[in-house]
Amino acid sequence: MTETHDTTGKRSAKRFGIDHTTGRLILGSISIPLPRSRIARLTIGVLLIFGGVLGFLPVLGFWMLPLGFILLSHDLHLVRRMRRRFSVWWTKRRKS
């Protein structure tokens, strides 16, 4: 899932998301392993979102919000659906 094939047969790296075959979070050229436990992934995702809400504090940041939602979208259908809708909206917005 981290590689996509175009019509010429060349491979290109995926920009962000979860590679379901290896169980890793892909952020550009960075690859982070995810815990195998669903409870651990949910806990980390919720903590990242909570830390992102407190992003105005010095150590925490607003970058934690999207990362938390990406982690939660791996296990929760509602969050996955919202992430896909946002992704489609963002792609349409960038093309126009």
Side-chain angles (χ1 to χ4, degrees):
M1 184 148 213
T2 59
E3 297 176 352
T4 56
H5 298 280
D6 60 4
T7 56
T8 61
K10 296 180 182 178
R11 293 180 175 183
S12 62
K14 187 176 177 183
R15 293 186 181 161
F16 71 94
I18 296 177
D19 183 2
H20 296 284
T21 58
T22 61
R24 298 178 77 84
L25 177 65
I26 308 296
L27 300 170
S29 61
I30 300 170
S31 176
I32 304 168
L34 291 176
R36 291 185 181 195
S37 168
R38 180 177 188 215
I39 295 172
R41 285 191 306 265
L42 290 173
T43 303
I44 292 170
V46 168
L47 288 175
L48 282 169
I49 290 173
F50 180 71
V53 170
L54 300 174
F56 58 89
L57 296 174
V59 175
L60 306 173
F62 294 111
W63 59 270
M64 298 170 95
L65 282 170
L67 189 59
F69 282 117
I70 289 172
L71 273 175
L72 287 179
S73 72
H74 183 69
D75 293 315
L76 301 177
H77 299 290
L78 180 64
V79 179
R80 185 178 311 133
R81 193 174 306 127
M82 290 181 346
R83 181 185 51 83
R84 286 179 184 164
R85 286 182 184 168
F86 177 76
S87 179
V88 168
W89 173 80
W90 187 260
T91 304
K92 286 180 182 179
R93 181 177 175 259
R94 291 191 72 197
K95 285 185 179 181
S96 59

